[in-house]
């Protein structure tokens, strides 16, 4: 089992709808969780991070974390064509050697006008 | 938010030459920086972890003698692709780790360097 898994997509949603992106992780010692957005030909940019169970909202974005089920999700409300990108989930955990940052393969989102 | 710069943004070179890419954290100190490579339509691939003042840690399959990493200060890491060949053509992205409160680390990415080897 890979450490961080995401559905590769593409996930297609109509403009104005809610896009739901999911991520699962294998290491229960994981402590903090990140969502990055990567446009084609560009580098990833941080959207938000979460480290407590529950929801965290930032504008149109909501991150949801459930450590018991080992999943983290990102909801994008009122999706816009400009949200079309690849979304990377990343998990950070601390071990005896320091902190280990692991990325998922990304989910490609396409918002249709 | 934290800003990471990379230079150059794009480079075209002849086969056999060496290319140096700089990665700078502009408004924070980064004891650890990471170098990634990304081929078209593929995932990020971690190449190495660069630690200030010590040797870099390379991922399996990455040639340390070909991809030289130097992290001489808390704000600068460099990647040198030595004797570049066409198969080294890729998008090279660095990131810098920032440590905030509660011991939480966050990675911030530079804009990337597109390398084309002719």
């Amino acid at each position: 089992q890979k450490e961080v898994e995401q559905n590769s997509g593409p996930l297609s949603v109509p403009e104005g709808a809610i896009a739901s992106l999911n991520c699962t992780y294998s290491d229960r010692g994981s402590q903090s969780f990140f969502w990055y957005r990567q446009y084609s030909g560009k580098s990833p940019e941080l959207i938000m991070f979460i480290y407590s169970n529950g929801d965290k909202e930032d504008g149109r974005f909501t991150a949801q974390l459930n450590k018991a089920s080992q999943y983290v999700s990102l909801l994008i409300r009122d999706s816009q064509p400009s949200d079309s990108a690849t979304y990377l989930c990343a998990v950070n955990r601390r071990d005896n050697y320091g902190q280990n940052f692991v990325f998922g393969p990304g989910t490609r989102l396409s918002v249709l006008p | 938010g934290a800003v990471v710069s990379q230079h150059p943004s794009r480079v075209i070179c002849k086969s056999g030459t060496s290319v140096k890419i700089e990665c700078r954290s502009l408004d924070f100190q980064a004891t650890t920086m990471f170098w990634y490579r990304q081929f078209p339509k593929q995932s990020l691939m971690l190449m190495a972890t660069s630690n200030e003042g010590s040797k870099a840690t390379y991922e399996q399959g990455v040639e340390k003698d070909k991809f030289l990493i130097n992290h001489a200060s808390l704000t600068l890491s460099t990647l040198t692709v030595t004797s570049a060949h066409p198969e080294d053509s890729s998008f090279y992205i660095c990131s810098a780790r920032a440590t905030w409160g509660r011991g939480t680390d966050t990675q911030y990415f530079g804009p990337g360097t597109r390398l084309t080897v002719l």
Side-chain angles (χ1 to χ4, degrees):
Chain A
Q1 182 187 9
K2 294 182 180 178
E3 287 196 61
V4 180
E5 297 199 55
Q6 295 180 257
N7 189 319
S8 61
L11 171 67
S12 295
V13 300
E15 183 174 357
I18 295 176
S20 178
L21 303 160
N22 299 314
C23 172
T24 58
Y25 59 95
S26 61
D27 189 346
R28 285 192 173 275
S30 301
Q31 299 174 321
S32 47
F33 308 86
F34 304 81
W35 283 100
Y36 290 83
R37 176 175 60 197
Q38 185 177 23
Y39 291 112
S40 181
K42 302 294 185 181
S43 67
E45 57 178 320
L46 180 67
I47 299 174
M48 60 192 306
F49 62 87
I50 185 169
Y51 44 74
S52 298
N53 275 326
D55 295 0
K56 179 181 179 182
E57 188 175 316
D58 184 0
R60 295 188 295 114
F61 299 98
T62 298
Q64 299 176 317
L65 175 60
N66 185 322
K67 289 186 179 180
S69 301
Q70 295 176 244
Y71 86 78
V72 57
S73 63
L74 179 71
L75 301 179
I76 306 175
R77 289 181 299 281
D78 188 23
S79 296
Q80 302 296 310
S82 58
D83 294 326
S84 298
T86 296
Y87 289 80
L88 303 171
C89 169
V91 172
N92 194 21
R93 62 184 176 89
R94 187 186 293 273
D95 56 27
N96 291 334
Y97 304 99
Q99 296 216 8
N100 187 9
F101 220 95
V102 182
F103 283 88
T107 297
R108 193 154 52 93
L109 172 67
S110 178
V111 180
L112 307 174
Chain B
V3 179
V4 178
S5 70
Q6 245 180 280
H7 177 79
S9 59
R10 186 180 296 267
V11 59
I12 301 173
C13 68
K14 292 183 179 180
S15 185
T17 59
S18 294
V19 175
K20 179 186 280 189
I21 303 170
E22 291 187 350
C23 178
R24 293 181 185 273
S25 55
L26 297 185
D27 51 0
F28 66 101
Q29 294 183 330
T31 55
T32 303
M33 292 184 175
F34 303 89
W35 287 97
Y36 295 84
R37 181 167 53 182
Q38 189 173 37
F39 294 104
K41 299 191 185 300
Q42 294 189 21
S43 302
L44 285 174
M45 288 175 44
L46 179 64
M47 298 175 66
T49 301
S50 169
N51 297 299
E52 187 267 336
S54 65
K55 291 184 179 180
T57 304
Y58 290 82
E59 296 298 302
Q60 195 170 14
V62 178
E63 300 175 59
K64 62 180 180 181
D65 294 331
K66 180 170 183 62
F67 299 99
L68 301 179
I69 292 173
N70 186 296
H71 194 153
S73 78
L74 289 172
T75 59
L76 173 64
S77 175
T78 61
L79 168 69
T80 301
V81 183
T82 62
S83 187
H85 288 94
E87 58 265 30
D88 297 323
S89 299
S90 188
F91 191 39
Y92 291 85
I93 312 171
C94 74
S95 71
R97 186 163 74 189
T99 301
W100 308 116
R102 300 184 55 167
T104 299
D105 288 2
T106 304
Q107 279 194 39
Y108 294 93
F109 286 87
T113 297
R114 193 162 302 282
L115 171 63
T116 303
V117 185
L118 303 176

